[in-house]
């Protein structure tokens, strides 16, 4: 079975890349060609026009496109997430100095509010933050953080979309005050002395959803067993990638020019969990970070409503299940002996300690699931 | 008509510009090129159409403008009727996307995009030829060095060394270049180079 998979050069494309490097696609009976893309718009268009069959994609993009926000992505399904976390927020040294003394996100947001007020009083320009795409977790995370201090992200902050490859230079040139992007780009800029990582994904949300694998629904329908084989190959790649003993190999493979093409030190730094050291806490363990939770889909949809891109009168459950396919994950993961979550949704947040998730044949010990502001996102109809 | 072309490959951008001028040359046609997209280009040049290479990382930047502003060029893929969007599909396949302002003539859009796609495909063909020529040259060098190893270690003539390589390649079902590379890899053990 032939298929083409598009990816962007980021650490969180690891499962797609590792499955190729280690031959998992072949052993699942798939003949895969990877195409490295330079932006998300092209990934979306290639899916829409059938030039690729599957893609590494920002989780909110299929929902935005399905709701008419921007061009169509065509009919796609997401049988698995490609891990959790992986983004970091880098600010200029000048802004970092203004936010000094506060380590929590709530604290740094309060300091940011002071800085916004100071700039207004002095007639200095607005704070400008860059994101890689409008409909992205990067954007939602920054808006949530900004709003936690009572700032209005719409009026009091300027947002620009920039390619991660150009963000660091713009921070250095003082054109933007900070940016969020997937690793290893913030780490590469930090190593180049362009700024400091203020916080990264796990500081915001310990297990934050980020990218998914989007599969063209028409390809899935025409290729009996194709999605099953593809999901298995990626889950196996995840099992390999999360082994500590494979970490050095993982870093070397991701840093290759045909994949991320970043310095190995930046890739290594990005895989650390502590943001003070530049880490972005990427979790690749397929048992805990690849299930396509309907509650994640609804959280993304909820963010689009919160920031005014979407009217609240949609059937979010139907929308979420149209794209996210936990049934396909269970089928593939079950064949590999994984424990299968019993529910499709869970509370997001409110678990400060490792906890037990109901699953079969045995429960899964999950890492903490907490948001920085203590909020709990509940979407289950009890 | 103002057309802005964004392409990290400036030679290819020039080729596209030349194609557009050939078809639409006239005092009203203005074409501007850039390796990067900058916001000020919209204000300074006011393009009716933007043509951008899919391999430009700046494409998402251009794409995002439509969310914030009404009077900017929008992606062509939003306008086309899916039953009649061959120009867009072929362009995407060739590696180029386009954005137009409201009211831009769809026929003209399709024909300009077709020109751009042809020029992109042409460049790709040239690139492929070049990388094949480079690969052929590298293979030639590998084979020559392996021949040298065989001539020295087995005291063969150049012709016999080549025949030995070819025979081994045929016997093992591999390319002569692969056999030559193996010989070079173990040439230290053979007491060669």
């Amino acid at each position: 079975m032939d298929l083409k998979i598009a990816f962007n050069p980021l650490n969180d494309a690891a499962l797609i890349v590792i499955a190729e490097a280690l031959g998992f696609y072949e052993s699942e009976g798939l003949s895969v060609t990877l195409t490295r893309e330079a932006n998300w718009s092209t990934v979306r268009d290639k899916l829409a026009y059938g030039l690729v069959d599957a893609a590494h994609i920002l989780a909110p993009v299929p929902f935005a496109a399905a709701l008419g926000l921007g061009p169509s992505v065509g009919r796609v399904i997401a049988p698995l997430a490609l891990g959790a976390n992986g983004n970091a927020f880098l600010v200029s040294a000048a802004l970092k100095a203004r936010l000094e003394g506060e380590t929590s996100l709530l604290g740094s947001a309060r300091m940011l509010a002071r800085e916004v007020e100071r700039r207004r009083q002095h007639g200095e320009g607005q704070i400008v933050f860059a994101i890689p795409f409008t409909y992205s977790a990067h954007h939602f995370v920054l808006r949530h953080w900004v709003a936690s201090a009572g700032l209005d992200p719409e009026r009091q902050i300027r947002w620009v979309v920039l390619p991660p490859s150009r963000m660091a230079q713009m921070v250095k040139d003082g054109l933007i005050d900070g940016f969020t992007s997937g690793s290893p780009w913030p780490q590469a800029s930090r190593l180049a002395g362009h700024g400091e990582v203020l916080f990264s994904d796990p500081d915001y949300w310990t297990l934050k959803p980020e990218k998914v694998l989007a599969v063209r629904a028409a390809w899935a329908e025409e290729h009996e067993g194709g999605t099953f084989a593809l999901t298995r190959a990626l889950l196996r790649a995840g099992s390999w990638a999360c082994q500590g003993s494979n970490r050095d190999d993982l870093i070397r493979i991701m840093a290759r020019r045909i994949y991320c093409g970043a310095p190995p030190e930046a890739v290594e730094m990005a895989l650390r969990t502590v943001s003070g050291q530049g880490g972005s806490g990427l979790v690749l363990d397929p048992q805990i970070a690849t299930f396509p939770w309907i509650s994640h889909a609804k959280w993304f949809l909820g963010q689009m409503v919160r920031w005014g891109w979407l009217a609240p009168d949609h059937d979010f459950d139907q929308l979420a299940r149209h794209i996210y396919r936990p049934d396909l994950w269970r089928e593939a993961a079950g064949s590999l002996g994984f424990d299968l979550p019993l529910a499709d949704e869970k509370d997001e947040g409110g678990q400060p300690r490792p906890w037990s998730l109901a699953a079969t044949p045995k429960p899964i010990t999950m890492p903490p699931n907490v948001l920085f502001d203590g909020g709990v996102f509940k979407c289950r109809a009890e | 008509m103002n057309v802005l072309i964004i392409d990290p490959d400036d030679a290819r951008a020039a080729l596209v510009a030349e194609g557009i001028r050939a078809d639409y040359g006239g005092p009203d046609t203005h074409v501007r090129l850039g390796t990067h997209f900058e916001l000020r280009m919209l204000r300074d040049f006011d393009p009716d159409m933007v043509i951008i290479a899919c391999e430009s990382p700046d494409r998402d930047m251009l794409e995002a403008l439509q969310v914030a502003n009404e009077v900017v060029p929008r992606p062509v893929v939003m306008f086309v009727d899916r039953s009649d969007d061959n120009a867009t599909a072929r362009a995407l396949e060739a590696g180029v996307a386009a954005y137009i302002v409201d009211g831009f003539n769809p026929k003209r859009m399709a024909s300009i995009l077709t020109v751009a796609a042809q020029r992109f495909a042409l460049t790709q063909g040239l690139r492929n030829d070049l990388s094949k020529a480079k690969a052929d040259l590298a293979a030639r060098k590998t084979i020559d060095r392996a021949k040298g190893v065989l001539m020295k270690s087995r005291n063969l003539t150049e012709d016999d060394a080549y025949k030995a390589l070819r025979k081994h390649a045929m016997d093992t079902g591999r390319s002569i270049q692969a056999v030559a590379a193996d010989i070079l890899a173990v040439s230290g053990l053979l007491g060669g180079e």
Side-chain angles (χ1 to χ4, degrees):
Chain A
M1 235 180 286
D2 291 337
L3 82 153
K4 281 194 184 143
I5 308 178
F7 73 99
N8 263 270
L10 294 163
N11 281 346
D12 57 21
L15 269 47
I16 289 172
V17 160
I18 292 299
E20 177 182 70
L22 299 185
F24 293 148
Y25 295 127
E26 281 110 318
S27 64
E28 294 296 335
L30 299 171
S31 170
V32 168
T33 310
L34 295 190
T35 71
R36 184 184 197 256
E37 303 295 343
N39 59 68
W40 299 108
S41 305
T42 300
V43 171
R44 176 202 62 210
D45 289 354
K46 284 191 168 181
L47 277 171
Y49 282 86
L51 297 181
V52 297
D53 306 299
H56 164 237
I57 203 165
L58 299 158
V61 167
F63 296 112
L67 289 156
L69 297 169
S72 172
V73 70
R75 276 192 314 128
V76 296
I77 53 172
L80 85 163
L82 295 172
N85 302 335
N87 301 336
F89 177 44
L90 182 132
V91 293
S92 66
L95 182 58
K96 180 80 198 298
R98 296 279 178 188
L99 309 179
E100 215 58 79
E102 290 285 354
T103 48
S104 74
L105 265 67
L106 287 170
S108 57
R110 275 196 302 274
M111 298 293 278
L112 179 76
R114 275 189 219 169
E115 172 64 3
V116 166
E117 178 59 18
R118 190 196 64 80
R119 288 201 188 184
R120 193 186 63 77
Q121 284 175 2
H122 288 75
E124 293 175 19
Q126 267 192 325
I127 296 226
V128 186
F129 289 146
I131 47 170
F133 205 76
T134 306
Y135 308 113
S136 65
H138 311 65
H139 197 178
F140 303 157
V141 166
L142 277 191
R143 279 186 174 241
H144 189 176
W145 172 66
V146 164
S148 74
L151 289 169
D152 177 354
E154 198 63 44
R155 290 186 305 108
Q156 292 178 288
I157 302 287
R158 258 192 68 209
W159 304 95
V160 290
V161 169
L162 290 176
S165 55
R166 292 179 71 187
M167 289 174 171
Q169 188 60 41
M170 295 214 186
V171 169
K172 195 177 168 226
D173 294 344
L175 295 171
I176 58 174
D177 297 284
F179 70 83
T180 291
S181 111
S183 61
W185 305 115
Q187 291 75 24
S189 342
R190 182 179 184 255
L191 285 168
H194 292 344
E196 286 295 325
V197 172
L198 188 69
F199 62 80
S200 64
D201 275 350
D203 304 315
Y204 167 80
W205 179 352
T206 48
L207 211 57
K208 195 218 71 181
E210 176 55 33
K211 306 284 190 317
V212 295
L213 179 82
V215 179
R216 274 200 309 123
W219 183 88
E221 286 154 14
E222 287 159 18
H223 296 82
E224 178 83 33
T227 310
F228 176 76
L230 180 55
T231 307
R232 268 180 61 101
L234 296 172
L235 290 171
R236 288 174 57 200
S239 297
W240 182 89
C242 70
Q243 295 286 324
S245 53
N246 294 331
R247 192 182 158 99
D248 290 348
D249 290 332
L250 172 68
I251 291 165
R252 267 194 293 277
I253 293 171
M254 293 312 295
R256 282 185 196 163
R257 211 161 63 85
I258 51 162
Y259 299 137
C260 281
E265 307 78 57
V267 176
E268 191 274 329
M269 186 182 271
L271 291 173
R272 294 181 200 165
T273 48
V274 184
S275 62
Q277 298 169 5
S280 57
L282 179 65
V283 181
L284 297 172
D285 184 343
Q287 180 69 81
I288 60 174
T290 63
F291 188 79
W293 288 101
I294 295 297
S295 41
H296 286 167
K298 290 183 182 171
W299 184 81
F300 286 127
L301 289 162
Q303 296 300 303
M304 288 189 238
V305 171
R306 180 175 182 189
W307 305 118
W309 294 305
L310 198 60
D313 54 354
H314 287 278
D315 184 340
F316 288 133
D317 192 66
Q318 195 199 4
L319 256 170
R321 290 177 187 279
H322 198 63
I323 293 170
Y324 272 36
R325 295 291 300 275
D327 55 321
L328 298 179
W329 188 93
R330 287 194 187 94
E331 207 183 309
S335 74
L336 291 168
F338 281 56
D339 295 314
L340 313 177
L342 297 179
D344 293 342
E345 303 182 47
K346 61 181 172 9
D347 288 349
E348 301 300 345
Q351 297 279 7
R353 276 174 290 282
W355 58 290
S356 178
L357 171 71
T360 177
K362 56 183 197 313
I364 303 166
T365 303
M366 294 288 284
N369 187 10
V370 209
L371 275 103
F372 77 105
D373 62 356
V376 181
F377 181 76
K378 288 179 187 283
C379 58
R380 275 178 299 185
E382 304 276 346
Chain B
M1 176 180 72
N2 290 352
V3 181
L4 175 64
I5 303 169
I6 303 295
D7 190 347
D9 180 342
D10 48 3
R12 183 170 60 184
L15 211 59
V16 173
E18 184 202 87
I20 294 170
R21 288 200 189 99
D23 285 8
Y24 292 94
D28 295 340
T29 301
H30 303 281
V31 184
R32 200 172 281 187
L33 315 178
T35 52
H36 290 90
F37 173 69
E38 306 290 349
L39 288 176
R40 60 178 169 73
M41 288 171 169
L42 296 183
R43 196 187 53 224
D44 298 351
F45 183 55
D46 194 22
D48 302 295
M49 180 167 186
V50 182
I51 292 170
I52 185 164
C54 288
E55 70 187 48
S56 166
D58 297 351
R59 199 184 155 197
D60 289 338
M61 209 172 148
L62 186 60
E63 184 92 20
L65 299 177
Q66 56 166 320
V67 180
N69 199 322
E70 293 298 312
V71 290
V72 294
R74 291 154 178 274
V76 163
V77 287
M78 293 196 76
F79 293 87
V80 292
D81 169 0
R82 277 294 150 98
S83 61
D84 182 32
D85 57 353
N86 281 333
T88 312
R90 276 199 303 265
L92 196 60
E93 212 157 359
V96 59
Y99 293 73
I100 52 174
V101 292
D102 282 342
F104 194 77
N105 181 334
K107 281 212 177 91
R108 175 174 285 197
M109 180 278 289
S111 78
I112 293 178
L113 197 49
T114 301
V115 168
Q118 283 164 352
R119 300 283 162 134
F120 265 64
L122 182 70
T123 317
Q124 192 56 47
L126 293 173
R127 278 187 190 172
N128 291 347
D129 288 351
L130 182 65
S131 57
K132 188 179 177 301
K134 280 184 181 163
D136 286 351
L137 190 65
R140 191 75 252 154
K141 279 185 183 162
T142 307
I143 293 168
D144 280 349
R145 285 179 58 209
K147 270 196 308 195
V149 169
L150 289 181
M151 285 160 71
K152 209 168 146 195
S153 63
R154 294 204 213 156
N155 202 17
L156 296 175
T157 65
E158 180 170 2
D159 200 32
D160 287 341
Y162 185 72
K163 279 181 186 152
L165 274 176
R166 196 177 55 191
K167 181 174 187 312
H168 193 59
M170 273 158 58
D171 290 349
T172 55
R174 291 180 303 158
S175 69
I176 295 184
Q177 189 198 355
V179 171
D182 281 355
I183 288 174
L184 290 179
V186 297
S187 65
L189 300 175
L190 295 172
E193 292 188 326

